Amino acid sequence: RAIRDVYKRQLHGDITGSEALYGGGAALVRSQILLRVTPPGTPGVLAFGSRDPQAFAPGQSTDQAQFLAGVVERLLVRWQGA
């Protein structure tokens, strides 16, 4: 799935990781959560991968991960403005 197709959040279990996201470690990734971060002018994805195929799965709560993505987004805005 292309990065531009990522919505606000996606959880995937029992997968093979994407080399575009995880580079040489992609074969180790068996589940993931993808979170969109959209500071002005610099959209991106915060990706967490796990070796455990059940660590992330659709239907799980994402409140804490979304909070972390919001913090990262605000830090990127501050860093860009510096």
Side-chain angles (χ1 to χ4, degrees):
R1 186 172 279 217
I3 292 175
R4 69 179 180 277
D5 294 336
V6 175
Y7 301 106
K8 186 67 175 169
R9 65 188 177 283
Q10 291 187 7
L11 293 129
H12 303 110
D14 202 16
I15 61 152
T16 301
S18 165
E19 193 170 329
L21 290 174
Y22 302 110
L28 301 173
V29 176
R30 297 297 315 279
S31 64
Q32 67 185 2
I33 181 169
L34 305 175
L35 301 146
R36 183 175 60 177
V37 291
T38 55
T42 313
V45 174
L46 183 59
F48 293 98
S50 174
R51 292 178 182 202
D52 178 355
Q54 304 306 317
F56 303 112
Q60 286 180 327
S61 175
T62 59
D63 295 348
Q64 292 178 341
Q66 285 182 279
F67 174 80
L68 181 59
V71 169
V72 168
E73 191 171 279
R74 286 187 291 282
L75 287 171
L76 288 170
V77 168
R78 289 183 79 185
W79 178 68
Q80 288 173 339

